[in-house]
Amino acid sequence: GESVGLHLPTLSVQEGDNSIINCAYSNSASDYFIWYKQESGKGPQFIIDIRSNMDKRQGQRVTVLLNKTVKHLSLQIAATQPGDSAVYFCAEEVAHGNQFYFGTGTSLTVIP
Amino acid sequence: DAGITQSPRHKVTETGTPVTLRCHQTENHRYMYWYRQDPGHGLRLIHYSYGVKDTDKGEVSDGYSVSRSKTEDFLLTLESATSSQTSVYFCAISDQVGQPQHFGDGTRLSIL
């Protein structure tokens, strides 16, 4: 089956620095992607999404970049804060019925 | 948070017993999903529903059944629980295809 993977399982950054979390996807036909944040003991929380007709989308302190040529997705978090510490994972919509494949996640730790 | 309630939040049971997990939503969303989350794996789809009484299998459906008799409730049943079904189970909802899924806070199920 098709799957979404992440380049790094863990990432540590200093408070105030920018964070970049990467994701590779395998289905060139996928046209919708989502980033989620998951804190310990909680369910995944939607952060930002992007469709394949865009290569960049910005939210509040977050930016998602999509490179369809190399099938790569990244999440940039500006001025990372301690509250950003969590597991982040990407998801790609792959089938009818709004089905997604999810990556295994990158654990982000923010050092005060 | 999206109006999604999962119950119970924690359960410990023995091999061979039946188990039913409940997902209740107050958003009137059409699509509902059951996932399991295990270390080293991304979220994996068990079953999903695209309307009342309309369900379909996901990637890891063996040993699980579901029912959706009302828009707001989606039940996941393990007919005869096995230790390999020890996991954290998440329910998700979405309004339509091409929209993000929103998750509940999960049920931690341990089968001894």
Side-chain angles (χ1 to χ4, degrees):
Chain A
E2 310 211 358
S3 63
V4 176
L6 292 171
H7 293 303
L8 295 173
T10 62
L11 178 66
S12 295
V13 299
Q14 290 290 141
E15 182 178 357
D17 287 351
N18 297 334
S19 303
I20 299 176
I21 300 171
N22 297 303
C23 176
Y25 64 94
S26 56
N27 185 354
S28 58
S30 295
D31 59 7
Y32 181 51
F33 304 87
I34 302 176
W35 279 101
Y36 286 95
K37 171 186 181 182
Q38 187 175 20
E39 297 175 283
S40 180
K42 294 194 172 184
Q45 177 185 1
F46 169 82
I47 302 173
I48 192 168
D49 58 2
I50 189 167
R51 301 187 192 278
S52 59
N53 61 350
M54 304 173 70
D55 53 18
K56 180 179 180 179
R57 191 166 189 221
Q58 289 184 292
Q60 187 175 16
R61 283 201 306 119
V62 295
T63 300
V64 55
L65 300 177
L66 176 62
N67 185 330
K68 294 180 287 292
T69 302
V70 295
K71 292 184 286 187
H72 183 268
L73 195 67
S74 69
L75 177 70
Q76 300 178 2
I77 304 173
T80 313
Q81 302 169 0
D84 294 327
S85 293
V87 173
Y88 292 81
F89 54 88
C90 62
E92 61 173 310
E93 187 176 43
V94 293
H96 174 70
N98 203 19
Q99 292 185 52
F100 288 84
Y101 278 102
F102 294 83
T104 52
T106 292
S107 178
L108 174 66
T109 300
V110 181
I111 303 166
Chain B
D1 291 340
I4 307 168
T5 303
Q6 291 188 234
S7 59
R9 292 296 315 279
H10 303 272
K11 186 173 182 66
V12 180
T13 191
E14 294 183 347
T15 300
T17 60
V19 177
T20 296
L21 308 183
R22 180 183 185 234
C23 178
H24 178 78
Q25 60 142 330
T26 57
E27 306 296 320
N28 199 36
H29 284 184
R30 176 183 177 188
Y31 295 93
M32 298 186 75
Y33 309 81
W34 277 109
Y35 292 91
R36 59 179 290 173
Q37 187 175 48
D38 303 290
H41 293 272
L43 288 161
R44 291 183 290 174
L45 183 64
I46 304 171
H47 282 277
Y48 68 99
S49 170
Y50 44 97
V52 174
K53 293 187 177 12
D54 289 325
T55 65
D56 207 346
K57 296 179 180 180
E59 178 188 3
V60 291
S61 60
D62 286 349
Y64 302 94
S65 62
V66 290
S67 66
R68 191 168 178 203
S69 58
K70 299 185 290 185
T71 298
E72 59 266 34
D73 290 326
F74 193 32
L75 303 181
L76 176 71
T77 297
L78 291 66
E79 300 290 347
S80 178
T82 68
S83 59
S84 65
Q85 294 175 311
T86 292
S87 187
V88 181
Y89 291 85
F90 287 99
C91 172
I93 66 174
S94 69
D95 195 25
Q96 55 185 294
V97 172
Q99 294 296 317
Q101 295 182 11
H102 298 280
F103 289 81
D105 280 337
T107 294
R108 184 172 295 275
L109 178 63
S110 296
I111 300 164
L112 307 178

